[in-house]
Amino acid sequence: MSLSKNRKRFIAGASCPKCNTLDTVALTLENAVETLICVSCGFTQTQTPKQATAATRQFEQMIGVFDPAENSEK
């Protein structure tokens, strides 16, 4: 059994939905499920790609999406 280590990516300027502490929110991705974690109070929230698409506002115009996997060298 191999262990995989997921990196936490901190979101600059984001505040925790529970404790409202600024710059304590990190995002991890495992098995296509995004998990939001507050390192201050321990709040967690998960979201699948379907939930993320459904949460997008209908008439919002998007400039672009940054996907680091598209730019990585193989």
Side-chain angles (χ1 to χ4, degrees), residues 4 9 15 20 25 28 33-34 36 43 46 53 55 57-58 69 73:
S4 64
R9 296 181 301 171
S15 59
N20 292 322
V25 178
T28 60
V33 176
E34 293 179 338
L36 187 74
F43 172 79
T46 58
T53 303
R57 289 174 231 142
Q58 182 180 5
E73 294 181 25

Side-chain angles (χ1 to χ4, degrees), residues 16-64:
C16 173
K18 183 177 179 184
C19 69
N20 292 322
T21 306
L22 188 65
D23 292 335
T24 60
V25 178
L27 185 68
T28 60
L29 179 65
E30 184 175 355
N31 299 324
V33 176
E34 293 179 338
T35 303
L36 187 74
I37 303 165
C38 176
V39 296
S40 179
C41 72
F43 172 79
T44 60
Q45 181 178 5
T46 58
Q47 176 172 278
T48 62
K50 280 187 178 182
Q51 291 171 323
T53 303
T56 305
R57 289 174 231 142
Q58 182 180 5
F59 298 107
E60 183 175 88
Q61 293 183 1
M62 189 179 312
I63 295 171

